[in-house]
Amino acid sequence: MHNALSVSSFFESTNDITEIEFSQFILRSDFFTGPTSVRAIIAIPLLSKEKLPAFNAALKAREHERSKLGYVPFQIQEVKGRERAMHQPFMLSL
């Protein structure tokens, strides 16, 4: 449980976490070691529609860095009638 809280604290500490920083943080933790059934860690931000343009621009700016880690390019589209959007920009698995 303390590991899950540490991921939450990691994301709460700043608004500007890159995929490399996320990978380094998870790999330095003990999520995937010892007697555990954890096989993947995914962070899914909840974004207001006002924050979507800046979030998409940041993803685009990190596209090359993300591709080195195996992420495919994507852009979050606003859905009419929804105030919030979610997507999976951060993932690390065994």
Side-chain angles (χ1 to χ4, degrees):
M1 179 66 171
H2 75 279
N3 284 337
L5 294 175
S6 68
V7 173
S8 174
S9 297
F10 181 61
F11 277 93
E12 289 172 0
S13 68
T14 181
N15 290 330
D16 191 27
I17 296 173
T18 68
E19 291 73 12
I20 289 177
E21 291 168 335
F22 177 74
S23 296
Q24 290 172 340
F25 176 79
I26 297 300
L27 292 173
R28 288 179 182 150
S29 73
D30 59 354
F31 273 100
F32 298 129
T33 60
T36 181
S37 59
V38 175
R39 296 290 173 245
I41 304 292
I42 301 170
I44 303 172
L46 181 62
L47 304 166
S48 66
K49 64 182 180 180
E50 292 81 19
K51 293 184 179 182
L52 282 179
F55 187 81
N56 282 329
L59 283 176
K60 182 72 174 164
R62 296 191 316 267
E63 201 168 86
H64 181 70
E65 173 184 314
R66 290 172 53 81
S67 70
K68 290 180 185 179
L69 296 170
Y71 292 95
V72 296
F74 72 90
Q75 183 175 9
I76 301 172
Q77 301 294 322
E78 182 179 338
V79 176
K80 200 172 187 114
R82 289 199 180 166
E83 292 297 314
R84 303 205 182 268
M86 294 183 294
H87 208 302
Q88 171 193 316
F90 301 99
M91 180 178 164
L92 191 65
S93 63
L94 289 176

